[in-house]
Amino acid sequence: MHPEPVPPPGDPAALDEAAARRVDLVWSGAMVGSLALVFALLSVFGGVAVPVLLALTGAYAFNPVVTLLEKRGLDRTLGTTVLFVAGTLLMVGAGLYLVPVFRDEAAKLPGFFARASTQVVPQVESLLGMSLPELVSQRTAELGEKASELLQSAGPTAARLVASFAGNTARFVTTLLGLSVVPVLAFFFLQDYPRLMGSIKDLLPRRSVALVSQRFREVDEVLSAFVQGQLAVGAILSVIYAAGLSVARIDLAIAIGLIAGFGNMVPYLGTGIGVVLAMMGVLLSWQGPWQLAVVAATFVVGQMLEGFVITPRVVGEKVGLSAVAVILAVLAFGELFGFVGILLAVPASAILKVVLSVVIQRYRRTDLYKGGAGGP
């Protein structure tokens, strides 16, 4: 008989079951404790912790892109610079496109309200087959008369709000510095990402480094699979929604399509916002009931394709977090920790999912589960 091969020291199988169980339980407890510590720090030192958290999130999200550029022969610093320059140009281009479009749409509001009482309301009444309350027509006419005044006062009102916020100097400076430091921190975190991860790995006990590294890879696989899958689905849905809304001759079709498509990362939230924005776009560019039919068909077809074709074929089984889990996580973390909780809901759920699967895996290998009397 040949003796069984002995696993190398760097192999997770080098640990016996009892030692591996201890390592996994310590790792699970450390992960849960780390999450609790992060949320505690955010509650106490939100002004400092939030920019750092956002920068780390950006570094994690864009690290695969910079790593790919690095594999193509580009220096990591240069690759990070190229990525940031491209992102800046994209944001500037989006702003240059969206600001005039929103300005033009806002300019249409007085004309819309002015003709709503004489054109839109009667058309809605004919579609419903009933008369709307007189109050609706009356209020619509009043809005038409006051819409120009509201738009003219919007600028000074916004200026007063900014001045009021700036009056609280400490709060204003802290917020401004926090926002401005995020891209700077993200740049350096992204540039030194491999070094940071290597430093953390060097702190792990040598005997358990392989198993702990495997657990972190499992967390990364769940989280990256969710993000990459949802980005792919969001891009396809954005094209579908933008094309359908363009057919409906809505001026903000591309912007609404992007919001509805990528907003789908939180299931149904992006679609709901997209439907509301599309309805507003229809009202601002009313050409007939056919627009409502096209908008409705766009979102119905988009959701059916997403559920039966896009997600199964593009994402498949790679996504580690179900839609129900994401919705519950967003609601729970949002209720407990506000907007920051919503941002952290998905990564926290990915960590907790792996922790739960590890604990269940180790439990199923115990004599308590198997019903045996001996040791492991």
Side-chain angles (χ1 to χ4, degrees):
M1 277 182 73
H2 295 286
E4 285 189 19
V6 178
D11 193 322
L15 297 173
D16 58 41
E17 178 61 26
R21 185 185 305 149
R22 284 194 299 271
V23 171
D24 274 341
L25 290 179
V26 170
W27 178 84
S28 301
M31 288 298 98
V32 175
S34 298
L35 285 177
L37 179 61
V38 167
F39 283 110
L41 291 174
L42 287 172
S43 301
V44 179
F45 305 105
V48 178
V50 170
V52 175
L53 179 65
L54 291 175
L56 285 172
T57 302
Y60 171 80
F62 292 108
N63 178 61
V65 179
V66 178
T67 302
L68 180 61
L69 294 175
E70 197 174 12
K71 290 179 180 178
R72 297 289 178 89
L74 208 61
D75 178 73
R76 188 167 185 90
T77 301
L78 181 58
T80 305
T81 304
V82 169
L83 180 64
F84 268 73
V85 170
T88 302
L89 292 176
L90 183 63
M91 291 177 63
V92 171
L96 292 175
Y97 165 74
L98 291 175
V99 169
V101 172
F102 279 113
R103 184 187 60 213
D104 294 341
E105 292 302 303
K108 294 179 182 178
L109 285 174
F112 164 73
F113 285 116
R115 71 175 187 273
S117 59
T118 58
Q119 297 180 20
V120 177
V121 172
Q123 289 174 345
V124 172
E125 288 177 339
S126 64
L127 285 174
L128 296 177
M130 57 180 292
S131 298
L132 295 177
E134 182 64 26
L135 182 63
V136 174
S137 301
Q138 188 177 11
R139 291 290 181 246
T140 305
E142 291 176 0
L143 283 173
E145 296 173 359
K146 296 180 179 179
S148 298
E149 299 176 11
L150 291 173
L151 286 176
Q152 291 173 1
S153 64
T157 302
R160 285 196 298 271
L161 289 174
V162 172
S164 175
F165 183 73
N168 189 341
T169 307
R171 181 180 176 186
F172 180 74
V173 171
T174 301
T175 303
L176 192 62
L177 288 176
L179 292 175
S180 61
V181 81
V182 169
V184 178
L185 290 176
F187 180 89
F188 288 109
F189 285 153
L190 186 56
Q191 181 184 12
D192 296 331
Y193 191 86
R195 192 181 308 165
L196 290 172
M197 295 299 103
S199 300
I200 295 174
K201 190 174 181 179
D202 288 340
L203 295 176
L204 299 175
R206 295 299 89 191
R207 188 163 178 252
S208 58
V209 64
L211 182 56
V212 174
S213 298
Q214 177 181 317
R215 298 309 181 202
F216 278 117
R217 281 194 298 271
E218 292 173 6
V219 173
D220 180 66
E221 287 172 1
V222 171
L223 185 56
S224 61
F226 175 82
V227 173
Q228 292 171 8
Q230 291 304 308
L231 285 177
V233 172
I236 297 173
L237 286 178
S238 296
V239 173
I240 294 173
Y241 291 148
L245 297 178
S246 297
V247 172
R249 296 183 183 178
I250 295 176
D251 293 332
L252 289 173
I254 296 178
I256 296 174
L258 290 173
I259 293 172
F262 287 105
N264 196 64
M265 289 189 73
V266 179
Y268 309 113
L269 177 63
T271 302
I273 295 174
V275 169
V276 173
L277 293 176
M279 290 297 102
M280 292 176 62
V282 168
L283 292 177
L284 291 173
S285 57
W286 179 261
Q287 297 180 24
W290 66 270
Q291 287 180 295
L292 293 175
V294 172
V295 169
T298 297
F299 283 99
V300 169
V301 170
Q303 285 299 296
M304 291 182 64
L305 288 176
E306 187 270 333
F308 296 105
V309 179
I310 300 173
T311 296
R313 290 185 178 273
V314 175
V315 181
E317 299 297 323
K318 293 189 298 181
V319 175
L321 298 174
S322 66
V324 174
V326 174
I327 293 174
L328 293 177
V330 169
L331 291 176
F333 282 94
E335 178 68 23
L336 292 174
F337 305 104
F339 179 70
V340 176
I342 294 176
L343 294 178
L344 291 178
V346 171
S349 300
I351 293 174
L352 293 176
K353 177 181 184 296
V354 175
V355 167
L356 182 61
S357 65
V358 167
V359 171
I360 292 175
Q361 173 188 338
R362 290 303 174 190
Y363 165 70
R364 286 177 174 171
R365 294 182 181 179
T366 61
D367 290 321
L368 177 64
Y369 177 77
K370 295 178 179 178

